[in-house]
Amino acid sequence: MPGTRGPVPIPLHINGGQRDLTAEILEAVDQEAEVGTSTKFPQIPQAEIKAALDRLASRSMVEYDTKDREEVALTKEGEEIASAGSHEYKVWDAVRQAGRLSLKDPSLAGANAKIGQGNAFKLKWVKKDGDALVSLTDSVQDATREQLQCAKENRTFQDPKVQKDFMKRKLVVPQKVISYVARKGPKWAMEMPVEVTDLTAEMIADGSWQTANWKPYNYKAEGAQLSGGAFHPLMKVRQEFREIFFNMGFTEMPTQRFVDTGFWNFDTLFVPQQHPARDLQDTFYVSDPPEAGPPGPDPATDEALAQMDDQDEQDENDSAPASAATRAKDISSKLDYQQYFNNVRSVHQDGAFGSIGYRYPYNDAETKRLVLRTHTTAVSAYVLHRLAANPRPCRYFSIDRVFRNETVDATHLAEFHQIEGVIADFGLTLGGLQAFLKRFFRKIGVPDLKFKPAYNPYTEPSMEVYAWHAGLNKLVEIGNSGMFRPEMLQAMGLPEDLRCYGFGLSLERPTMIKYGISNIRELLGHKVDLGFIEGNPAVRLDRE
Ligand code: PHE
């Protein structure tokens, strides 16, 4: 019958044969009014006995009490003495066998031999004779050994004073022993009754539910621990930021490629090829494969963007919308990557689009080097170039990993998450960027911003963004921003009057502040406590 439980034996392997402990306990309780488990089942571990008793007690077939008892157990040294004799016995025995034993004899060296010598003197078993030991007796009674043998057998000492002395000498240690006393319970039976756990349609129809032996609820049973996945605090804060961006009309850039080229990561952003940021000390280079191909479209990125771009236009369109893949191809067919590459080279080498350039020989090999991207601005550059196919006002953001070859300390790792936004529109001004940043940071609970002129090769003007930190009582840098340089945007083929804001901040800093973490290694890496990840509540930024 479904929902019923029959007798469930606990298989137990003893001496190679199978024994059912539950049945053995029932037999013992049937024969004796009180069954002490430590004497009845001395070989069986207490945990197994308890499991069998609980099984019977939950059906009220037996009842049991738990008994705590203190026993003594021999330490390793105690065991050695019990089997081979005390230290004093060993000293006396060595002296007796040698007749005279020099004090410098190696058998008298060592801590135990020193103790043994002292005791043998006290017991008048040996004495000093010049620089040697001689025996004073032909036979001795090794009381220490005998007492230990006795304690080993009885697991106790008759005289508590002796026990204390042996404990002080670290020859025995006290040990708590749990055992059980079992007797018949109110529903005593020699067989496990079948207990019904589920009510079925048949039982209602034939009325057998009224007489069925229902298994009682066990309200003391602990519920099974539910274990599910848990979001990392960084991912929770990232989600908060994503929602803010989406609410402000931003589209998310696909940033799943961690490896990019020198071209997108540096050259398009006018980081000169000799710039220290491109050094091995600052950037991780990938050696295999040794180089990338020439700049070109990335179909995966294009398709993901096409999927998100112009959703509204697509929805309004009566005719069947073209697939994202088709639209992506359509856009990339309007872009000339070779021309773009030539433009970037011209700006670096000779100057173009109103810029006098850096005027150094541009090295094509540098553009093809593969790097672990040092900022997500590499992706922003790709997306802005793609915008040249259909220049229009738009807003993009990304929150993902970037890598820098930095010395790891309490606040720096070799990788972190960058939050980045770009806004393209006609006739943008620096004041508009400041107003936007104020609005953005107000949404994450940072009210007053200060701006400090800064330098980025790709933005002019550039501004570091500062906010007042109440805890540290000073202004702290919370981001970097600027307006992308015209020679960067025009080289992409974007129209002259289309301007673009850019800004970036780390995801780690606000996360550490929100979760009260002072060491970044508690947040990321192999030292992270999984309990911290699983136990933390969702974070809510103090939004307006
Ligand atoms: N890439 C910059 C950084 O690494 C952030 C930034 C992005 C600054 C866009 C200006 C414009 O900090």
Side-chain angles (χ1 to χ4, degrees):
M1 182 166 43
T4 57
R5 282 231 222 133
V8 190
I10 299 175
L12 197 74
H13 300 273
I14 280 177
N15 303 328
Q18 262 210 341
R19 264 174 34 161
D20 177 352
L21 184 57
T22 326
E24 287 206 22
I25 290 173
L26 287 174
E27 254 165 53
V29 172
D30 192 38
Q31 280 158 23
E32 292 163 47
E34 303 253 284
V35 174
T37 58
S38 58
T39 44
K40 194 81 193 168
F41 307 106
Q43 304 300 331
I44 300 175
Q46 291 303 320
E48 282 179 32
I49 294 188
K50 184 168 188 318
L53 284 172
D54 281 340
R55 196 170 278 271
L56 297 168
S58 74
R59 291 165 172 81
S60 304
M61 293 160 68
V62 301
E63 290 174 338
Y64 71 90
D65 297 321
T66 307
K67 293 255 184 293
D68 275 357
R69 197 155 36 84
E70 203 168 83
E71 287 186 348
V72 292
L74 272 54
T75 60
K76 202 168 154 239
E77 192 184 347
E79 288 283 2
E80 265 166 35
I81 292 175
S83 69
S86 62
H87 305 315
E88 50 272 26
Y89 174 82
K90 285 184 187 157
V91 169
W92 170 78
D93 194 40
V95 173
R96 187 182 54 103
Q97 282 185 29
R100 276 174 73 85
L101 191 64
S102 160
L103 282 166
K104 296 206 181 81
D105 193 88
S107 66
L108 294 177
N112 286 344
K114 292 258 147 60
I115 296 169
Q117 242 185 86
N119 288 341
F121 283 138
K122 255 189 249 158
L123 290 162
K124 300 209 169 23
W125 290 356
V126 296
K127 69 165 191 182
K128 235 189 236 173
D129 183 23
D131 62 353
L133 293 179
V134 291
S135 169
L136 287 173
T137 170
D138 287 339
S139 67
V140 295
Q141 196 189 355
D142 192 354
T144 306
R145 179 188 190 179
E146 283 166 16
Q147 277 164 313
L148 278 172
Q149 281 173 335
C150 199
K152 187 176 170 162
E153 205 171 297
N154 301 329
R155 310 202 140 260
T156 179
F157 286 91
Q158 252 163 7
D159 186 348
K161 267 211 264 169
V162 177
Q163 173 169 338
K164 231 171 138 187
D165 180 46
F166 273 82
M167 269 161 53
K168 230 170 56 210
R169 286 161 70 184
K170 297 208 168 69
L171 300 178
V172 300
V173 283
Q175 220 170 36
K176 239 208 191 121
V177 178
I178 296 170
S179 68
Y180 307 95
V181 178
R183 67 190 92 78
K184 290 178 182 170
K187 289 196 188 166
W188 164 252
M190 281 297 284
E191 293 224 318
M192 290 243 195
V194 173
E195 288 186 318
V196 186
T197 55
D198 290 313
L199 183 63
T200 63
E202 294 85 53
M203 291 167 77
I204 296 172
D206 66 15
S208 65
W209 63 272
Q210 294 177 70
T211 51
N213 181 27
W214 290 102
K215 181 177 166 64
Y217 279 110
N218 177 5
Y219 295 107
K220 287 186 191 146
E222 274 183 37
Q225 177 119 35
L226 294 178
S227 79
F231 282 111
H232 191 279
L234 280 173
M235 295 301 105
K236 293 183 199 164
V237 177
R238 181 174 79 151
Q239 186 55 21
E240 281 285 292
F241 275 104
R242 289 182 80 220
E243 276 163 29
I244 291 167
F245 276 117
F246 288 133
N247 285 340
M248 296 178 93
F250 281 76
T251 300
E252 190 165 24
M253 292 182 268
T255 43
Q256 67 277 41
R257 258 193 309 120
F258 292 174
V259 176
D260 218 316
T261 59
F263 181 74
W264 292 109
N265 195 79
F266 295 122
D267 291 338
T268 60
L269 298 164
F270 295 105
V271 180
Q273 292 184 330
Q274 310 75 20
H275 195 281
R278 296 176 78 144
D279 267 9
L280 277 174
Q281 280 78 21
D282 290 291
T283 301
F284 290 114
Y285 285 90
V286 175
S287 55
D288 183 18
E291 60 169 35
D298 173 22
T301 300
D302 288 346
E303 202 174 317
L305 282 167
Q307 212 128 37
M308 287 181 285
D309 269 352
D310 306 328
Q311 282 284 331
D312 299 342
E313 260 171 56
Q314 288 292 324
D315 292 345
E316 282 163 21
N317 201 337
D318 281 346
S319 61
S323 75
T326 312
R327 277 184 290 135
K329 271 200 208 108
D330 184 39
I331 292 168
S332 66
S333 71
K334 291 185 193 150
L335 299 168
D336 184 343
Y337 282 87
Q338 182 60 47
Q339 178 64 48
Y340 178 40
F341 174 76
N342 292 341
N343 289 349
V344 169
R345 180 207 274 130
S346 309
V347 182
H348 277 257
Q349 196 167 274
D350 313 308
F353 307 103
S355 164
I356 59 167
Y358 290 123
R359 285 168 286 174
Y360 66 84
Y362 187 75
N363 180 356
D364 287 5
E366 281 297 321
T367 73
K368 292 183 178 165
R369 286 182 84 178
L370 289 159
V371 299
L372 282 184
R373 68 173 176 225
T374 61
H375 48 191
T376 44
T377 320
V379 182
S380 301
Y382 181 89
V383 171
L384 287 173
H385 171 248
R386 183 180 164 279
L387 188 64
N390 177 19
R392 65 198 187 285
C394 59
R395 299 176 160 205
Y396 287 104
F397 82 95
S398 67
I399 308 172
D400 214 335
R401 270 175 207 230
V402 300
F403 306 86
R404 292 182 192 176
N405 194 355
E406 298 205 54
T407 313
V408 172
D409 64 22
T411 52
H412 292 89
L413 290 178
E415 59 179 277
F416 65 97
H417 291 76
Q418 201 163 47
I419 304 173
E420 171 148 329
V422 294
I423 298 176
D425 207 339
F426 297 97
L428 293 179
T429 62
L430 190 68
L433 173 58
Q434 292 186 333
F436 170 82
L437 289 171
K438 282 181 184 166
R439 207 148 62 82
F440 178 82
F441 280 99
R442 256 206 318 272
K443 283 182 188 286
I444 60 167
V446 179
D448 289 315
L449 299 187
K450 295 264 182 283
F451 300 99
K452 181 178 158 188
Y455 174 77
N456 295 314
Y458 39 96
T459 53
E460 183 61 36
S462 310
M463 301 181 296
E464 279 168 2
V465 185
Y466 283 78
W468 185 257
H469 192 298
L472 298 175
N473 223 22
K474 63 172 189 183
L475 284 169
V476 291
E477 192 193 333
I478 54 169
N480 180 10
S481 67
M483 297 189 67
F484 286 112
R485 296 183 80 104
E487 61 265 53
M488 169 182 153
L489 300 177
Q490 285 170 38
M492 291 170 165
L494 288 166
E496 222 171 292
D497 51 351
L498 189 84
R499 308 234 169 103
C500 193
Y501 299 149
F503 64 98
L505 57 144
S506 94
L507 176 64
E508 276 75 0
R509 184 165 271 188
T511 306
M512 286 171 76
I513 292 169
K514 282 289 158 192
Y515 284 90
I517 300 168
S518 55
N519 189 332
I520 198 158
R521 286 167 282 203
E522 287 168 35
L523 187 66
L524 223 71
H526 66 287
K527 286 193 181 150
V528 171
D529 172 7
L530 280 184
F532 165 79
I533 306 294
E534 285 163 3
N536 258 307
V539 71
R540 288 276 165 250
L541 300 172
D542 310 314
R543 294 195 216 168
E544 281 214 308

